[in-house]
Every structure is written in structure tokens, then in C-alpha cells.
């Protein structure tokens, strides 16, 4: 009798789809967060697979900082139509206008941290009891502490010491009123796994991920792309070079990488050879040694 052994991508895909289906089964009002980055694109693609030929049975939500790359928004709207998903958008600017948060002072303020309040307000507005995100354990050390099902208290905060065991893929979604869960279906994927799967499945990706010529400024060891949200500081100048992005977020703090990788195979080879994490170019992660963990405890993803 022939034996069948799953390869690594079939195992990762099966695991992620199982987690997504568990969310749909256990929770009344789940949502999947979407940023326009590769991980959220992958996750939405897996959600489409999980319920095919039916529609994705929950909405996707984008927390828009207002500092997006144009390419991100264009791709987001096209991709939602492509997969037939319902999209909810909530804006950090609305939180600023309502006095819920205050814009950072100083030159080139980032709104990356401000989106926590907008996210928590949206979860309360729609009464979401589970929010799925594309975080992976290899991204950053604070994210390595997460379970698949990560409990948040009634203030939306995370306590790494108050998480439940997940033996044999048994997930406990029980919660008290006001609490909710963050769920991470692709926890066990690496950046290289993501790109190899994208290449394998031929998933269309935003142009930002591929090498292109762009005006940039070099600042504190980072390469920042020219956008309306970034102004030059003393002694700085714009220069043109070929770059691509390994991670996509708020344009004020998302660094680019000098690269000539213009097709998926080149990206896979580049990631396999690199020794720098993808978040090594994120200014928001450099603010303190525990920057990500501090933000997660406040309700950030």
C-alpha cells in the first residue's frame, strides 16, 4: 500500500488552516487583520483555501495609519476583490481627530504605536471576540512568547504569564465578558517558509517587495523611502538606488533593503542567505530593547 508523507509546506498549510477553522468554529465574531504585508496576504490566501468553495465567513480589517505606501493601498483594494472578502477599514486619523490619541512631537512622527488605540476601539465597536494576525515566532523575541490562541484581558492587554497550554492542538477559547483572543495561524512559519510558499502557490504580491529604483535617505543605519510623510533633517539628502522591502508598515518607520531581487526566486535566495532579521530595518523596534513586548502589553498586535 503506497505511503503518503506531507512535505513541510503541506504541514504548515494544514496547521494554519486548522487554526483558522477552529477560530470560525469557536468564536461568534472573529476578524482577520490585514496590513497589506506578505504575512497578512498569506493568511488571507489560506483563509480562502480553508473555506473554498464558500466565502471567507468573517471580515478582514485594516487599521490605516494614514502613512501608507500608495502601492499598499492599491494592492489591498485589488486583493479584497480577488479573494471576495469583506473589508473593514478604521483610521488612526479619526482617533487623532477624536482626541483618543495625540500625534508624536518632533520631526517625522510615526503613527505606528498610535494604531493600538484604533485597533482596540474597532474591536469594541464590532464586538470582535477573536482577531487573527500574521505574526510569526521568528520575527521578534516578544512574539516567540505567544500561543496560537493568545488571551487578551478586558482592556485588550497581553500578559505573557497568563497564557493557556495548547497540548495536541487543543485550543481553549473560553473567555469572560470583555476579553478577547488574538490568534496567530502562521506562528510556526519562518520568513523563508512564507516566501517559498508564495513562490510555490504563485501568489501575486505588491510591487514594494521586488527590487525597484526609489529615492531614499539613509538615517541611523536605516534606508527610508521618500514619501510625503518623511522630511530631510540637517545634513541629509535624497539619493536614488535600487531597493525592496522585506516588511511593509507605516512609511515613517519601515526601512528598505538595497537589493536587485526582482523575481520570487531571487527573493527566496536572498532571504536564505541573509543573517539580518526582517524587522532589523524597523525604526519602531529600535526605540528600546523591549519595544515590541511593551507595545503588545498595551494591546498592539
Amino acid at each position: 500500500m503506497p505511503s503518503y508523507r506531507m512535505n513541510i509546506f503541506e504541514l504548515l498549510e494544514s496547521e494554519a488552516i486548522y487554526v483558522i477553522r477552529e477560530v470560525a468554529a469557536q468564536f461568534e465574531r472573529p476578524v482577520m487583520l490585514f496590513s497589506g504585508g506578505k504575512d497578512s496576504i498569506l493568511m488571507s490566501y489560506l483563509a480562502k483555501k480553508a473555506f473554498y468553495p464558500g466565502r471567507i465567513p468573517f471580515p478582514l480589517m485594516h487599521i490605516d495609519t494614514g502613512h501608507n505606501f500608495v502601492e499598499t493601498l492599491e494592492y489591498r483594494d485589488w486583493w479584497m476583490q480577488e479573494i471576495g472578502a469583506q473589508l473593514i477599514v478604521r483610521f488612526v486619523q479619526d482617533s487623532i481627530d477624536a482626541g483618543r490619541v495625540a500625534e508624536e512631537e518632533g520631526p517625522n512622527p510615526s503613527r505606528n504605536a498610535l494604531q493600538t488605540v484604533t485597533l482596540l476601539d474597532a474591536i469594541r465597536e464590532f464586538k470582535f471576540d477573536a482577531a487573527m494576525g500574521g505574526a510569526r515566532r521568528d520575527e521578534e523575541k516578544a512574539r516567540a512568547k505567544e500561543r496560537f490562541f493568545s488571551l487578551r484581558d478586558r482592556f485588550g492587554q497581553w500578559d505573557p504569564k497568563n497564557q493557556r497550554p495548547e497540548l495536541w492542538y487543543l485550543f481553549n477559547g473560553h473567555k469572560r465578558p470583555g476579553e478577547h483572543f488574538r490568534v496567530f495561524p502562521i506562528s510556526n512559519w519562518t520568513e523563508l517558509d512564507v516566501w517559498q510558499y508564495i513562490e510555490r502557490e504563485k501568489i501575486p504580491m505588491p510591487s514594494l517587495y521586488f527590487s525597484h529604483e526609489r529615492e531614499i535617505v539613509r538615517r541611523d543605519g536605516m534606508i527610508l523611502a521618500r514619501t510625503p510623510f518623511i522630511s530631510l533633517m540637517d545634513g541629509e539628502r535624497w539619493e536614488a538606488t535600487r531597493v525592496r522591502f522585506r516588511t511593509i508598515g507605516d512609511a515613517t518607520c519601515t526601512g528598505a533593503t538595497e537589493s536587485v531581487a526582482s523575481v520570487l526566486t531571487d527573493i527566496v535566495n536572498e532571504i536564505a542567505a541573509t543573517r539580518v532579521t526582517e524587522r532589523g530595518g524597523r525604526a519602531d523596534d529600535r526605540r528600546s530593547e523591549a519595544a515590541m513586548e511593551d507595545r503588545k502589553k498595551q494591546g498592539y498586535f
Side-chain angles (χ1 to χ4, degrees), residues 230-243:
I230 293 179
S231 55
L232 293 177
M233 303 174 73
D234 290 343
E236 294 181 338
R237 63 181 179 85
W238 298 114
E239 62 176 283
T241 189
R242 294 198 67 81
V243 299

Side-chain angles (χ1 to χ4, degrees), residues 15 18-19 22 26 147-149 165-174:
E15 177 185 71
Y18 173 75
V19 173
E22 276 292 297
Q26 289 200 39
R147 303 288 198 270
F148 281 103
F149 277 36
E166 294 178 338
L167 304 176
W168 306 293
Y169 288 99
L170 296 176
F171 302 121
N172 181 358
H174 178 73

Side-chain angles (χ1 to χ4, degrees), residues 41 45 75 78-79 82 198 201-206 210 264:
I41 293 168
Y45 178 84
Y75 179 93
W78 172 81
W79 184 242
E82 190 73 9
I198 287 169
E201 297 289 306
K202 298 180 173 58
I203 304 173
M205 299 299 289
F210 301 93
L264 287 173

Side-chain angles (χ1 to χ4, degrees), residues 22 34 86:
E22 276 292 297
F34 187 86
Q86 175 193 353

Side-chain angles (χ1 to χ4, degrees), residues 52-69:
Y52 183 83
R55 295 174 64 89
I56 298 174
F58 42 74
L60 276 68
M61 182 166 69
H62 181 209
I63 302 300
D64 188 336
T65 66
H67 288 172
N68 295 289
F69 294 100

Side-chain angles (χ1 to χ4, degrees), residues 107-153:
N108 303 308
S110 171
R111 292 183 175 181
N112 205 49
L114 304 187
Q115 62 186 312
T116 296
V117 171
T118 310
L119 171 61
L120 293 176
D121 286 349
I123 288 173
R124 283 190 288 269
E125 175 188 354
F126 292 99
K127 297 181 173 59
F128 291 132
D129 50 4
M132 288 172 276
R136 306 185 324 272
R137 287 175 180 151
D138 73 319
E139 279 183 271
E140 202 275 341
K141 57 188 178 183
R143 285 181 166 166
K145 299 179 181 180
E146 292 279 18
R147 303 288 198 270
F148 281 103
F149 277 36
S150 182
L151 180 66
R152 297 299 199 268
D153 66 20

Side-chain angles (χ1 to χ4, degrees), residues 164-268:
R164 297 167 182 175
E166 294 178 338
L167 304 176
W168 306 293
Y169 288 99
L170 296 176
F171 302 121
N172 181 358
H174 178 73
K175 58 183 177 51
R176 291 173 290 191
E179 296 177 337
H180 72 277
F181 279 82
R182 305 288 173 85
V183 182
F184 306 101
I186 62 170
S187 284
N188 286 332
W189 297 58
T190 66
E191 183 186 10
L192 183 58
D193 292 331
V194 170
W195 281 112
Q196 288 179 315
Y197 184 83
I198 287 169
E199 182 182 31
R200 176 179 183 262
E201 297 289 306
K202 298 180 173 58
I203 304 173
M205 299 299 289
S207 59
L208 289 169
Y209 281 116
F210 301 93
S211 178
H212 58 285
E213 188 167 289
R214 202 177 194 101
E215 283 193 290
I216 59 97
V217 62
R218 301 177 190 274
R219 178 180 298 167
D220 298 329
M222 292 180 56
I223 298 175
L224 296 175
R226 185 170 190 169
T227 68
F229 321 115
I230 293 179
S231 55
L232 293 177
M233 303 174 73
D234 290 343
E236 294 181 338
R237 63 181 179 85
W238 298 114
E239 62 176 283
T241 189
R242 294 198 67 81
V243 299
R244 72 175 196 87
F245 292 85
R246 290 176 64 188
T247 178
I248 296 176
D250 190 304
T252 61
C253 61
T254 302
T257 301
E258 289 187 278
S259 172
V260 294
S262 57
V263 296
L264 287 173
T265 300
D266 294 341
I267 292 176
V268 168

